Amino acid sequence: MRVVLATHNAHKAAEFQRMLAVGVPGIEVVTYDGPSPVEDGVTFAENALIKARTAAAHTGLPALADDSGICVDVLGGAPGIFSARWDGGRGDDRARVQLLLDQLADVPEAQRGAHFSCTIALVAGGVETTVEGLWPGALARETRGANGFGYDPVFLPAGEGGASAAEISPERKNAVSHRARAFAAITPLLAALPR
């Protein structure tokens, strides 16, 4: 069976394809190359559904999409759904990370709590489902590590001995991350799709 993955983000696509190969054998994942919808939802779930609906309508296939970001406690959950546009869309991952570090420069360690959030939407056969995965941790004061992408170099996941998400192996990240946790919740639904 074929499922379309509604993302143009190559890093996300690679993570999803690795997880699907292990978690749901027999599903062929194709990446979405159609038009990008306007993500004007106010929650991760709304944006994930917008993307999945668009991909399903465009391809006629069951569609998976995710929306994810980093949520900083002292910022009231921001950047949140604006994580990829936190710098106003002017920069890249490095610019967004640096802006976040600059905004938190005076925040003490005890108040640097944060988590990654991921909502995965599945649209198949007229049924829409969303699941959520959270990865708790805190923000570092500087970037560390060469693995991962986005905010990984400044995110210190709980239970990883102080290593950043960019310092743990991709295999470890794929087992414990917010995306992995959401994926674990969506796996039974994918496995139950008619073949």
Side-chain angles (χ1 to χ4, degrees):
M1 181 183 64
R2 299 171 76 212
V3 173
V4 63
L5 181 60
T7 185
H8 292 112
N9 182 318
H11 297 293
K12 280 186 185 182
E15 279 188 4
F16 264 97
Q17 288 172 337
R18 283 191 295 268
M19 289 186 278
L20 278 167
V22 173
V24 192
I27 290 186
E28 177 191 355
V29 179
V30 295
T31 53
Y32 177 63
D33 62 359
S36 296
V38 175
E39 296 177 42
D40 56 2
V42 296
T43 66
F44 291 119
E46 288 175 5
N47 284 333
L49 279 168
I50 288 168
K51 291 183 274 191
R53 287 174 187 142
T54 300
H58 186 75
T59 64
L61 296 171
L64 278 176
D66 91 316
D67 199 49
S68 58
I70 193 161
C71 305
V72 180
D73 297 350
V74 75
L75 296 178
I81 63 167
F82 302 108
S83 294
R85 303 179 298 278
W86 192 236
D87 64 347
R90 294 180 296 276
D92 56 11
D93 284 350
R94 188 176 310 183
R96 287 184 282 278
V97 166
Q98 191 56 55
L99 176 59
L100 186 60
L101 288 176
D102 291 347
Q103 290 169 328
L104 298 177
D106 296 332
V107 175
E109 304 305 319
Q111 296 175 344
R112 295 179 74 86
H115 67 273
F116 270 121
S117 179
C118 173
T119 297
I120 298 177
L122 172 62
V123 173
V127 177
E128 299 180 346
T129 307
T130 61
V131 296
E132 182 182 42
L134 301 178
W135 197 16
L139 284 180
R141 292 201 171 272
E142 59 187 11
T143 60
R144 299 192 333 232
N147 297 326
F149 61 96
Y151 295 91
D152 287 352
V154 293
F155 181 66
L156 306 174
E160 298 300 324
S164 78
E167 291 177 307
I168 63 176
S169 72
E171 294 77 19
R172 177 67 181 161
K173 181 183 175 189
N174 286 344
V176 298
S177 75
H178 53 309
R179 196 163 287 114
R181 294 169 193 217
F183 184 78
I186 205 81
T187 297
L189 302 175
L190 285 170
L193 288 176
R195 307 285 172 131

